C-alpha cells in the first residue's frame, strides 16, 4: 500500500489545482490550504525562493491505493506525502512534521520512518507538537506487519469528527491522557529499544482496546470495529495462548 504525490509550480499556471487518483478535486480545502500556506511561509523565511516564484500557482497530483476513509490512514499517508513533496519543491529545511499535522494529525508521524512518537507539546499554537523518531526502520528487522482490510466501506464517523466528540463527551479519554498514555509511552519505548516483543504486544493490544473503549464511551458512540475485526482479535489471542507467549499482536 502506498501514496505517491507529484507537485509543480510554474508562472504559466493560472490557479492552484489538485488531482486525486486522476480526478480533479476542489482546492478549496482548509487542511490543504493550511499546509501550502505554511510551506510558503517557511520558504519565505528561509529565503529559498524569490517572491516571484513564491507567487506561482501549484499543481498537485496525488495517487494512493488505500481505501479512502476506511480506517487505514489514507489521510495520514496522503498529507505526509504531500508535505514532503512540497518541502522538497520549495527547499524547506528542518522539521516538517508540524506542517503535516495541520493536514492530518497522524500525518506528522508518517513523515518519518521506523518507530515514531507524536509529541503533544506545550505551546498553545501547537508549534512544538511534532513527531520524533525513536529508532529507524532497520532497528527491528524481524518485525513484520500484515494489513488486513476487513471492510473498504467509508467510516460512518470520520476520525476527526470522532475525536472531537470524544474530547467533548468521554470521561475515559481524560483518564487515558492523564494516567495511561505517559506510562505506556515510557514502557513501549523501552520495549522497542530492547526489541521486547512480549511487552510491545501487550501494550499495543491494550492500547488498541482502550481506544475503542473510548469510542464506545463517546456520546453518541463511534463504532469502528465489526464482527470480522472481533474474530481476528480472538484469533490473535488464541495463537498466543497456544504458543505460550506473544508471537503476534493486533492493532485496530
Amino acid at each position: 500500500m502506498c501514496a505517491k504525490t507529484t507537485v509543480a509550480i510554474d508562472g504559466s499556471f493560472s490557479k492552484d489545482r489538485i488531482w486525486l487518483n486522476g480526478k480533479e478535486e476542489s482546492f478549496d480545502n482548509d487542511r490543504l490550504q493550511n499546509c501550502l500556506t505554511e510551506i510558503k511561509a517557511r520558504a519565505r523565511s528561509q529565503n529559498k525562493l524569490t517572491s516571484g516564484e513564491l507567487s506561482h500557482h501549484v499543481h498537485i497530483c496525488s495517487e494512493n491505493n488505500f481505501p479512502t476513509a476506511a480506517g487505514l490512514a489514507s489521510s495520514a499517508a496522503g498529507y505526509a506525502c504531500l508535505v514532503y513533496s512540497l518541502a522538497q519543491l520549495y527547499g524547506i529545511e528542518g522539521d516538517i512534521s508540524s506542517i503535516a499535522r495541520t493536514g492530518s494529525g497522524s500525518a506528522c508521524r508518517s513523515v518519518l520512518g521506523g518507530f515514531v512518537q507524536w509529541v503533544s507539546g506545550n505551546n498553545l499554537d501547537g508549534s512544538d507538537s511534532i513527531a520524533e523518531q525513536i529508532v529507524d526502520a532497520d532497528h527491528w528487522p524481524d518485525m513484520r506487519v500484515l494489513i488486513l482490510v476487513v471492510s473498504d466501506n467509508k467510516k460512518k464517523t470520520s476520525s476527526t469528527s470522532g475525536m472531537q466528540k470524544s474530547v467533548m463527551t468521554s470521561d475515559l479519554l481524560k483518564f487515558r491522557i492523564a494516567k495511561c498514555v505517559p506510562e505506556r509511552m515510557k514502557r513501549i519505548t523501552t520495549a522497542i529499544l530492547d526489541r521486547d516483543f512480549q511487552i510491545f504486544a501487550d501494550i499495543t493490544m491494550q492500547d488498541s482496546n482502550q481506544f475503542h473503549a473510548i469510542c464506545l464511551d463517546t456520546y453518541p458512540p463511534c463504532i469502528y470495529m465489526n464482527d470480522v475485526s472481533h474474530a481476528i482479535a480472538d484469533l490473535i489471542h488464541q495463537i498466543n495462548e497456544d504458543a505460550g507467549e506473544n508471537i503476534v499482536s493486533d492493532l485496530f
Side-chain angles (χ1 to χ4, degrees), residues 72-241:
L72 285 169
S74 59
S75 294
Y79 276 103
C81 195
L82 169 65
V83 169
Y84 177 83
S85 300
L86 289 172
Q88 294 296 304
L89 177 64
Y90 285 87
I92 303 301
E93 296 179 355
D95 173 74
I96 60 171
S97 68
S98 60
I99 304 177
R101 182 180 56 76
T102 64
S104 171
S106 296
C108 70
R109 295 177 297 194
S110 301
V111 169
L112 303 173
F115 291 87
V116 179
Q117 65 174 333
W118 178 2
V119 180
S120 60
N122 297 302
N123 296 340
L124 293 178
D125 63 359
S127 58
D128 59 342
S129 180
I130 61 174
E132 293 180 350
Q133 186 183 69
I134 299 173
V135 291
D136 62 29
D138 296 327
H139 172 74
W140 206 335
D142 295 335
M143 178 74 77
R144 297 291 184 271
V145 178
L146 300 179
I147 300 174
L148 308 181
V149 183
V150 300
S151 173
D152 59 3
N153 294 330
K154 185 176 181 179
K155 292 177 294 187
K156 180 180 179 180
T157 305
S158 71
S159 300
T160 299
S161 175
M163 180 54 67
Q164 289 172 342
K165 290 180 181 178
S166 295
V167 169
M168 291 186 293
T169 65
S170 174
D171 291 331
L172 180 55
L173 176 59
K174 298 178 180 63
F175 177 81
R176 168 180 165 77
I177 293 172
K179 301 294 184 179
C180 300
V181 172
E183 179 60 27
R184 283 181 178 170
M185 280 302 301
K186 292 178 182 178
R187 292 178 60 216
I188 202 165
T189 298
T190 299
I192 291 169
L193 294 173
D194 294 342
R195 302 186 188 91
D196 186 336
F197 189 76
Q198 300 306 303
I199 295 177
F200 177 88
D202 280 340
I203 297 174
T204 297
M205 291 187 283
Q206 289 169 356
D207 209 63
S208 177
N209 292 342
Q210 189 177 78
F211 166 79
H212 288 284
I214 289 171
C215 292
L216 291 176
D217 188 50
T218 299
Y219 191 80
C222 306
I223 310 298
Y224 293 115
M225 295 181 69
N226 58 26
D227 290 342
V228 177
S229 307
H230 290 295
I232 293 171
D234 288 342
L235 176 62
I236 293 297
H237 286 291
Q238 187 61 58
I239 291 173
N240 289 336
E241 183 178 334

